[in-house]
Amino acid sequence: DKVLPELIEPYELRAAKLREFLEDVKPSLCYDIVPLADPFGPSITDPDLQCLVVSEETRRGGEAVNKKRLENGLPELALHEIQLMKDPDHSQNEEEKISSSSLRQRLLGTLLQPPRQDPALPLRPYVIGLTGGTGSGKTSIAKLLGHLGAFVIDADKLGHAVYVPGGPAYEPVVAAFGAEILNKDGTINRKVLGAKVFGNQERLKSLTDIVWPEIAQMAKERVREADAQGKAVCVLEAAVLLE
C-alpha cells in the first residue's frame, strides 16, 4: 500500500545509504541494520533491546511491540518519541513531513535511467509502454502524448477488434467456448464469455492464450504503421502490458 511502490529503491541500496548517513552523523557508534520481513522484526524477540525510537504517528506501533514482548515473556521497551522534521518545500499534494513518498512523487516525469539501446530493436519508432490499473489516468496521458505527436495504440481497442466476426480470434474463441457465447447477429457476447471465464483460472488462461498473441500481433502491425507514417514515438496503452 506504499505510494508508487514501483519506484522504491532495492533494499541493499537503501541500507547502504542509511549506513552512510548514520556513520556520517556519528561514526563512533556501531550500527546493525536489519531487514524486516514482518512489521515487528527483532523488536519482539531480542532480549538485549532496551529502547524503541518512535514518532507521534508510530507510537501505536511501539505500543504493539511492547504488547508482543510481554506475550513473549520479555520486558517492555522504553518508547522514546521524537518529532518529525517538516519539509519546507512540500507542495499542496504532498505530506508536510519529509517523506519518501513525496520524494517518489517528484520522480514522476523524470528519466530514471537513459533509454536502453538494443541492437535487436529498430531505433524508430521508439515504443513506450503505458500501463496502470483502471482509473489510473492511462487514457488521459495517452491523449496528451498523442497531442504532442506520438502515435498512440490502444490495446483495449485491439482487444475488441480481435473478437469481431472475421477477426483473428473469433473462430478459435467460438470453437473453444461454444456457440452459446454468440449474439443473434453472430457477434461474440463478451459478458457471456466473461461469465464463463470469471473465477476459473484454467478457462481464463485458455482465453488469453488465444487472444493475447493476436493482440500482440496487431500491436506490432500498428507499430509498423507508425513507422510508415514517419512517427518517431509510439505509445502502447495496455492495462496488462507486461502480461
Side-chain angles (χ1 to χ4, degrees):
D1 58 352
K2 289 284 188 180
V3 174
L4 298 171
E6 303 89 347
L7 299 182
I8 295 177
E9 294 177 329
Y11 167 78
E12 292 77 11
L13 179 58
R14 289 183 287 127
K17 288 182 177 180
L18 174 61
R19 182 176 297 280
E20 181 182 12
F21 170 76
L22 293 173
E23 291 177 348
D24 185 48
V25 171
K26 196 160 189 178
S28 60
L29 291 182
C30 178
Y31 300 101
D32 186 15
I33 301 174
V34 181
L36 299 181
D38 59 71
F40 297 104
S43 66
I44 61 173
T45 57
D46 190 338
D48 296 328
L49 296 181
Q50 296 175 308
C51 175
L52 187 63
V53 179
V54 298
S55 65
E56 181 181 357
E57 64 181 32
T58 61
R59 172 169 279 278
R60 290 180 62 184
E63 294 168 352
V65 164
N66 277 335
K67 182 179 178 181
K68 286 283 188 180
R69 285 181 69 87
L70 291 176
E71 292 174 0
N72 292 337
L74 297 173
E76 290 185 321
L77 300 177
L79 299 182
H80 178 71
E81 185 174 317
I82 61 172
Q83 298 295 313
L84 294 175
M85 294 186 66
K86 306 296 183 183
D87 184 353
D89 300 319
H90 75 278
S91 68
Q92 185 176 0
N93 297 324
E94 294 176 345
E95 296 182 83
E96 187 178 353
K97 65 179 182 180
I98 292 179
S99 164
S100 59
S101 297
S102 298
L103 296 178
R104 289 196 298 277
Q105 285 179 313
R106 294 171 195 174
L107 288 175
L108 293 175
T110 65
L111 276 177
L112 299 183
Q113 57 187 18
R116 179 172 56 92
Q117 295 294 333
D118 188 336
L121 296 174
L123 293 177
R124 294 171 65 96
Y126 190 82
V127 182
I128 298 173
L130 176 59
T131 191
T134 301
S136 62
K138 293 189 304 298
T139 302
S140 297
I141 295 298
K143 286 182 179 178
L144 177 60
L145 294 173
H147 290 320
L148 293 173
F151 186 96
V152 178
I153 302 171
D154 186 339
D156 190 48
K157 291 181 180 178
L158 299 183
H160 282 80
V162 298
Y163 284 106
V164 299
Y170 178 81
E171 290 187 7
V173 169
V174 174
F177 295 94
E180 61 267 27
I181 67 171
L182 296 177
N183 294 313
K184 291 181 179 179
D185 61 0
T187 57
I188 292 177
N189 187 318
R190 295 185 65 172
K191 287 187 178 180
V192 174
L193 177 60
K196 277 181 169 285
V197 301
F198 182 75
N200 188 315
Q201 289 299 317
E202 186 176 342
R203 285 187 177 181
L204 179 60
K205 185 178 185 305
S206 296
L207 179 62
T208 56
D209 283 349
I210 295 171
V211 173
W212 282 356
E214 300 296 348
I215 295 175
Q217 184 58 38
M218 294 180 75
K220 291 176 182 177
E221 292 172 0
R222 294 283 283 153
V223 171
R224 287 193 287 268
E225 183 181 334
D227 184 34
Q229 294 183 17
K231 293 287 187 176
V233 175
C234 192
V235 175
L236 176 60
E237 176 195 348
V240 285
L241 176 67
L242 299 181
E243 293 85 346

